[in-house]
Amino acid sequence: MENKHQSIKDSFGILLFLFVLLVAIFSIVPIYKSVNNFVKNYVEKLCDELEDKTGLTVSYGNISPSVLTGVRIKRILLKDSSDDDVLVVIKSATLKYSLKNLIKRDTSNAFLDLIIDGFELDLDKDADLYVLEKLSNLLNLSQDEKVISSKSEKSVSKSEQDLSEISFNLPINFYIKNVSLKYSVNSVQYGASIKKLILNYLDNNLQVNMTGGVNVVNNASNISCKFSANGNINQNLTGSSLIFRISDISNGKFTVSRMNLLFDYNENILGVKTVQNGYPLFIQGAFDLINKNISLSLKTHELTVSDLLSGSRNQKLLKKLRNLSATLGVSLNYDLASKDFSYNSEGNLVIPKELLNDDVELNYSLNGNAKELFVNSLTF
């Protein structure tokens, strides 16, 4: 008898589960259709606005919305509407959203993450000049410029704009990978690849994580390097910092040692300095955005050519230069408003006998400006 009651309970439980499942399915179908229609209409609206603003059209393979998580768009093409020339290819883009806010049609808070996989842009300055003009229209923020202009009239002039007053809040997080950018000018091609780019807005901070590479190609040479960047950009910029690492700098003949640079922003001063480098080269610079002044200093201590350069080719030349060393200090100052430029430097150079048949030590001290050079001392 007890087993019979248990069997009835199990059967009732199964029937109840099937009933709830059927209700969920019938409920999801209209929600799915509603979300699908809303997403398609929203995407088509954005495409129409883009074409009206720039004359560029957008086409895509298909839209695959998921009721609970987001929508994926495959093979997005940005074309010139006049000749149907493809300018940008995006393999896939996934937009994740909040279903609750999307149903409420709260578009400002509905979208969470944008994931782009595979982005290709290839432009030629001469052939695609008109395209560059159209793309520049995408940056035409006339309404924002009016707001900034009205604020600046009440506070300070544009030349004295305090960047600490500027704030931002990304509407969504960006996850981008496999980006290829190419731009040709005459016979020179500039290229950049981004393996990974993550822009994540969290606790009033924009977290940046990026890796990629850059190359410049012409008929005679190929210069390339790899880079990575990690850091945080605060909402009001003050206190922001970014470490930028450059490695594998090469022209095919020589390779330059990697360099780590720290960029920071505090109280309207944009600063940069070398950090954690494995050789005695120290660079520090600052840009005062209020006073429009740029300063740069460079120091070395017995820095040799072999500290900076390596390569499998031109071994004879590198062997001659490897003991060439420098201990020096250089400082530069430039005033953007007055165009005043000044500099000073002092130190010594040790020239090895492989170059001059005898070791020579050169000591010097000099300073100057854009028009004059003053040599204070020069001894061998």
Side-chain angles (χ1 to χ4, degrees):
M1 188 71 175
E2 186 175 340
N3 291 335
K4 185 176 181 181
H5 283 298
Q6 183 64 37
S7 178
I8 293 174
K9 288 182 179 180
D10 292 342
S11 300
F12 179 76
I14 293 173
L15 290 174
L16 181 62
F17 172 76
L18 292 175
F19 175 75
V20 172
L21 180 62
L22 287 174
V23 171
I25 292 174
F26 284 112
S27 300
I28 287 176
V29 169
I31 294 176
Y32 177 85
K33 290 182 178 179
S34 176
V35 170
N36 188 32
N37 291 333
F38 175 80
V39 170
K40 285 186 176 180
N41 292 335
Y42 190 76
V43 170
E44 290 175 0
K45 179 183 177 182
L46 292 177
C47 293
D48 291 340
E49 290 180 357
L50 177 66
E51 184 172 4
D52 292 341
K53 192 172 184 180
T54 66
L56 303 174
T57 61
V58 177
S59 65
Y60 49 88
N62 66 302
I63 299 179
S64 304
S66 171
V67 175
L68 299 178
T69 57
V71 58
R72 182 181 183 187
I73 307 176
K74 295 183 178 180
R75 192 161 177 78
I76 304 170
L77 303 178
L78 181 63
K79 304 178 182 178
D80 180 11
S81 58
S82 63
D83 57 9
D84 217 30
D85 184 27
V86 177
L87 308 173
V88 176
V89 178
I90 300 176
K91 181 180 177 182
S92 70
T94 302
L95 184 62
K96 294 187 177 182
Y97 52 69
S98 165
L99 180 60
K100 176 183 176 182
N101 292 331
L102 198 60
I103 294 175
K104 293 166 57 178
R105 297 185 180 274
D106 181 9
T107 57
S108 60
N109 297 306
F111 302 110
L112 306 175
D113 303 321
L114 176 61
I115 304 170
I116 295 178
D117 183 3
F119 182 100
E120 298 179 7
L121 171 65
D122 192 346
L123 294 175
D124 183 277
K125 180 182 178 182
D126 297 326
D128 300 323
L129 180 60
Y130 63 99
V131 174
L132 296 174
E133 294 175 351
K134 290 179 179 180
L135 290 176
S136 68
N137 291 335
L138 292 174
L139 303 177
N140 181 19
L141 306 176
S142 57
Q143 296 300 324
D144 293 339
E145 290 173 353
K146 289 179 181 178
V147 172
I148 293 175
S149 176
S150 63
K151 288 183 178 179
S152 62
E153 289 176 1
K154 296 178 181 180
S155 54
V156 294
S157 65
K158 281 186 177 181
S159 62
E160 297 177 345
Q161 182 71 30
D162 187 344
L163 289 186
S164 64
E165 297 178 359
I166 298 176
S167 62
F168 62 89
N169 189 341
L170 286 182
I172 58 177
N173 299 318
F174 289 86
Y175 302 87
I176 304 172
K177 59 182 181 179
N178 301 322
V179 176
S180 175
L181 308 174
K182 295 180 181 178
Y183 179 61
S184 300
V185 180
N186 298 325
S187 61
V188 182
Q189 184 183 78
Y190 302 89
S193 63
I194 299 176
K195 185 178 181 181
K196 175 184 68 175
L197 172 61
I198 299 175
L199 301 176
N200 187 16
Y201 194 79
L202 181 66
D203 297 331
N204 294 327
N205 288 320
L206 177 63
Q207 299 177 342
V208 180
N209 188 341
M210 177 172 58
T211 59
V214 175
N215 69 294
V216 180
V217 180
N218 59 26
N219 296 329
S221 64
N222 182 352
I223 301 173
S224 63
C225 72
K226 296 179 181 178
F227 66 84
S228 66
N230 300 87
N232 293 292
I233 302 177
N234 296 336
Q235 186 176 26
N236 294 319
L237 298 183
T238 294
S240 301
S241 64
L242 186 74
I243 294 181
F244 196 78
R245 300 178 176 88
I246 310 173
S247 62
D248 296 335
I249 310 167
S250 175
N251 66 348
K253 298 179 180 179
F254 301 103
T255 299
V256 181
S257 301
R258 68 177 295 165
M259 178 175 292
N260 301 323
L261 299 172
L262 172 64
F263 292 88
D264 58 32
Y265 179 83
N266 285 289
E267 298 180 356
N268 295 298
I269 304 293
L270 177 63
V272 60
K273 62 181 178 181
T274 52
V275 292
Q276 299 176 344
N277 290 328
Y279 46 89
L281 171 63
F282 311 96
I283 300 173
Q284 186 167 357
F287 177 27
D288 189 328
L289 282 80
I290 298 298
N291 297 318
K292 306 301 179 184
N293 180 265
I294 299 174
S295 62
L296 180 67
S297 65
L298 180 150
K299 294 181 179 180
T300 69
H301 179 71
E302 297 180 354
L303 178 70
T304 64
V305 172
S306 59
D307 289 329
L308 295 177
L309 293 179
S310 62
S312 57
R313 302 181 184 180
N314 298 306
Q315 287 293 319
K316 291 183 179 180
L317 178 60
L318 287 176
K319 187 175 181 180
K320 289 183 178 181
L321 296 175
R322 65 182 179 182
N323 292 324
L324 178 65
S325 69
T327 299
L328 53 86
V330 179
S331 63
L332 309 171
N333 280 279
Y334 181 66
D335 191 296
L336 292 175
S338 64
K339 309 298 182 184
D340 288 339
F341 173 68
S342 63
Y343 58 89
N344 65 75
S345 178
E346 62 179 2
N348 71 78
L349 300 174
V350 177
I351 305 172
K353 58 184 178 182
E354 289 84 356
L355 294 176
L356 297 178
N357 297 322
D358 196 6
D359 291 334
V360 175
E361 183 173 349
L362 171 66
N363 296 278
Y364 74 94
S365 174
L366 57 86
N367 66 280
N369 52 46
K371 297 180 180 180
E372 297 176 300
L373 168 64
F374 304 96
V375 179
N376 302 317
S377 65
L378 180 62
T379 60
F380 291 90

